[in-house]
Amino acid sequence: MSQLTQQDWLKLQDSLTFEGRAWINGSYCDAENQHTLPCINPANKQTLTDIADCSENDVNRAVSGARAAFNQGDWACISPSQRRVVLEKLADLMAEHAQELALLESLDMGKTAADALAFDIPEAIRCFRFYAGAIETINDEVLPTAENVLATVTREPLGVVAAVVPWNFPLMITSWKIAPALATGNSVIVKPAEQSSLTAIRLAALAAEAGLPDGVLQIVPGQGKVAGQTLGLHPDVDCLTFTGSTLTGKRFMEYSARSNLKRVWLECGGKSPQIIFDDYENLERAAATAAAAIFINQGEVCIAASRLYVQDSIYDRFLPLLLAEAKKYQPGNPLNPDNLAGAIVDQLQFDRIIAGVEEAIAGGAKELTPVLRSERQEGWFLNPTILECSDNSNLIMQEELFGPVLGLCRFTTEAEVIALANDSDYGLGAGLWTNNLGRAHRVSRKLQAGMIWVNSYADGAITVPFGGRKQSGFGRDKSIHALEKYTDLKSTWIDLKE
């Protein structure tokens, strides 16, 4: 997709009409109680529009409509090839509206519009195209039995799937959830993050235009403590998929136990390590990737490599390279394509990051970069920050701040750094840099994470699973494996004897 100038984005913004209502049973509607939440642009703190703050009754209505649509079978019971046509049409419409969707992402949560257009929106489109094709590869089974018996295993949709999604990659992660769920014939209810609901709300209208039947996709914006909790406890929701904090993920597990034992798939927090060994020669490339791995998207990335371990013998050569790369991520107007970083999503997150840095410094971490706060006062901007730390128990090496803050630590031996890297409640991702093939295999197997990168970081494709271990959760988004989350196996035993 072609690069747009800041003036291009501003011109497009002038033409936007912001839609903030819920999408329930095939049309936009206000919350029953008329309550709303302000949708604030993080770059200037101005209100863009108001978003429906859905109540328990609104969610109940959405669930009822989703169940009715599923039972009616206009989506669940049609052939995979028919569903494929609709999902491919939706992907086409998303591509036609790519600039609009990218701008909504940027204005809504502060990411740069250029990144949204180059990465987020194309990834979302690829997701729908992939699952549109993948559904025709799912095969049922006929199992070996005696000749007078027919035993089959069929894979069937679960029914009503709730997707509670985060604010950092709103449309992309929403697509990761709903594309495989829709592809397998489920009805889906999305609870977008209250900080970034605009693209999910817009997607609903595009899905209807593509031919998705009424009730099959519902969007219920609102507060997690109301709309999210209602979905988690609802007895007629068969499955809930969630990306967000570990604390909230644990709550959804509790809600499942307290209600109907609905399936819960969690992709939670991360504190991912990256290791630079002294046998890796291209330190410039490693430094550039290490900076991007934490400072892209203002550090608001679950897979961000927020812990960096550098071997003693190359530490002093590596550090100046890292500091130079960090300077490239000074925050600025998200609509300016020259800026690599935008604004922090809201005041609450802004304050949390600052408080975390201050606590880390009080605990002994050394600040290697200028002050965290940006001089830009019109929005929530934070400078890229690197903290040097000799104690792996320091907050900066243990807790997810979800901001542009990197914890940096030396190490001496391979065994030592493996222990340091695994010293975490989280296990989402990990990276290592080495020219030694044996070390690459050996260390990759010992790192406790769901995703490992060697001589790269956070690269991927829609064909490759995304998810973690430990308190990073156990769900898997992307790839053929995601289809398993939204389907159930049914065994059928047919006695053929006369």
Side-chain angles (χ1 to χ4, degrees):
M1 297 182 181
S2 60
Q3 182 75 281
L4 273 68
T5 68
Q6 184 171 334
Q7 290 304 313
D8 291 332
W9 287 117
L10 289 171
K11 183 178 179 180
L12 179 57
Q13 181 178 348
D14 289 340
S15 69
L16 285 181
T17 299
F18 296 106
E19 178 58 74
R21 292 174 293 173
W23 178 272
I24 299 177
N25 297 330
S27 62
Y28 286 120
C29 59
D30 294 321
E32 178 191 54
N33 55 19
Q34 302 297 308
H35 289 182
T36 61
L37 298 169
C39 175
I40 298 173
N41 182 348
N44 57 24
K45 302 181 184 177
Q46 295 179 3
T47 299
L48 297 168
T49 188
D50 291 320
I51 302 295
D53 185 9
C54 288
S55 67
E56 182 177 348
N57 287 340
D58 296 314
V59 175
N60 289 338
R61 189 158 59 92
V63 174
S64 177
R67 175 62 64 189
F70 180 77
N71 290 340
Q72 187 169 328
D74 290 345
W75 182 253
C77 296
I78 63 175
S79 69
S81 61
Q82 290 173 295
R83 293 199 293 270
R84 175 177 185 165
V85 170
V86 175
L87 295 180
E88 287 180 339
K89 176 61 175 175
L90 175 54
D92 290 342
L93 289 170
M94 292 168 68
E96 290 177 21
H97 293 269
Q99 292 178 1
E100 174 194 356
L101 294 170
L103 181 56
L104 288 175
E105 295 282 71
S106 177
L107 296 173
D108 211 3
M109 62 75 55
K111 70 168 68 239
T112 66
D115 272 359
L117 185 60
F119 177 71
D120 298 48
I121 308 308
E123 283 292 301
I125 294 168
R126 272 192 290 272
C127 182
F128 278 98
R129 294 201 194 284
F130 174 78
Y131 287 109
I135 52 177
E136 293 186 289
T137 68
I138 300 175
N139 296 314
D140 296 330
E141 303 171 48
V142 176
L143 301 180
T145 58
E147 64 178 9
N148 57 0
V149 170
L150 175 64
T152 65
V153 176
T154 53
R155 190 169 284 279
E156 300 180 353
L158 294 175
V160 175
V161 173
V164 180
V165 298
W167 46 257
N168 58 330
F169 291 91
L171 186 61
M172 185 180 78
I173 295 180
T174 295
S175 300
W176 288 0
K177 308 295 188 186
I178 72 174
L182 290 174
T184 46
N186 296 281
S187 294
V188 181
I189 304 166
V190 178
K191 206 298 282 185
E194 47 265 50
Q195 300 93 329
S196 58
S197 300
L198 293 179
T199 47
I201 292 171
R202 182 70 179 100
L203 182 67
L206 296 179
E209 185 178 346
L212 197 68
D214 291 350
V216 174
L217 177 62
Q218 316 267 21
I219 311 294
V220 286
Q223 300 175 72
K225 63 185 179 182
V226 178
Q229 179 174 300
T230 302
L231 287 169
L233 289 168
H234 205 291
D236 212 22
V237 171
D238 301 295
C239 171
L240 188 141
T241 176
F242 169 76
T243 294
S245 73
T246 297
L247 179 61
T248 302
K250 290 179 178 180
R251 290 196 187 106
F252 281 121
M253 294 288 286
E254 294 175 6
Y255 297 157
S256 173
R258 287 166 53 189
S259 56
N260 60 339
L261 288 181
K262 62 176 61 64
R263 297 183 187 188
V264 176
W265 300 109
L266 304 178
E267 197 274 279
C268 298
K271 193 66 184 174
S272 300
Q274 198 165 183
I275 303 166
I276 317 292
F277 287 102
D278 61 6
D279 60 31
Y280 187 75
E281 297 174 354
N282 192 345
L283 294 185
E284 291 81 4
R285 178 168 176 257
T289 303
I294 179 61
F295 299 130
I296 279 179
N297 207 53
Q298 307 75 243
E300 297 166 324
V301 183
C302 62
I303 195 61
S306 55
R307 293 187 288 152
L308 182 61
Y309 299 96
V310 181
Q311 201 154 18
D312 268 326
S313 55
I314 58 170
Y315 188 92
D316 291 338
R317 284 193 292 132
F318 181 82
L319 182 55
L321 299 173
L322 177 66
L323 293 174
E325 290 294 332
K327 290 180 180 178
K328 297 178 181 179
Y329 293 88
Q330 297 298 318
N333 188 332
L335 302 187
N336 184 341
D338 295 330
N339 292 328
L340 298 183
I344 302 299
V345 68
D346 62 12
Q347 184 74 57
L348 180 62
Q349 183 64 15
F350 183 86
D351 292 340
R352 282 174 177 167
I353 297 167
I354 291 175
V357 170
E358 291 174 347
E359 184 176 341
I361 293 173
K366 177 184 176 183
E367 199 167 12
L368 299 181
T369 49
V371 294
L372 182 68
R373 295 174 189 265
S374 170
E375 295 179 359
R376 299 174 61 90
Q377 299 300 315
E378 67 273 27
W380 294 297
F381 293 94
L382 292 176
N383 292 325
T385 297
I386 300 176
L387 301 180
E388 187 179 49
C389 197
S390 59
D391 183 357
N392 206 54
S393 66
N394 187 287
L395 175 144
I396 195 58
M397 307 304 289
Q398 293 294 325
E399 295 189 18
E400 183 182 42
L401 295 187
F402 221 63
V405 186
L406 174 65
L408 176 64
C409 187
R410 298 171 181 259
F411 74 93
T412 303
T413 68
E414 180 180 303
E416 174 195 5
V417 78
I418 291 172
L420 291 170
N422 289 337
D423 178 25
S424 174
D425 292 334
Y426 299 105
L428 188 53
L432 63 140
W433 296 77
T434 178
N435 286 337
N436 184 314
L437 183 60
R439 169 173 277 167
H441 282 282
R442 185 170 60 248
V443 176
S444 294
R445 290 187 177 185
K446 292 182 178 180
L447 290 174
Q448 298 168 358
M451 297 171 285
I452 308 294
W453 288 274
V454 179
N455 299 342
S456 63
Y457 195 81
D459 293 345
I462 190 62
T463 54
V464 179
F466 185 101
R469 298 180 180 179
K470 300 196 283 189
Q471 294 195 45
S472 289
F474 45 80
R476 287 297 183 272
D477 289 317
K478 303 168 61 178
S479 84
I480 291 293
H481 296 286
L483 296 171
E484 300 164 8
K485 295 164 51 176
Y486 306 114
T487 56
D488 211 349
L489 295 179
K490 175 181 285 185
S491 300
T492 303
W493 181 280
I494 304 174
D495 191 331
L496 302 176
K497 294 190 295 292
E498 294 181 0

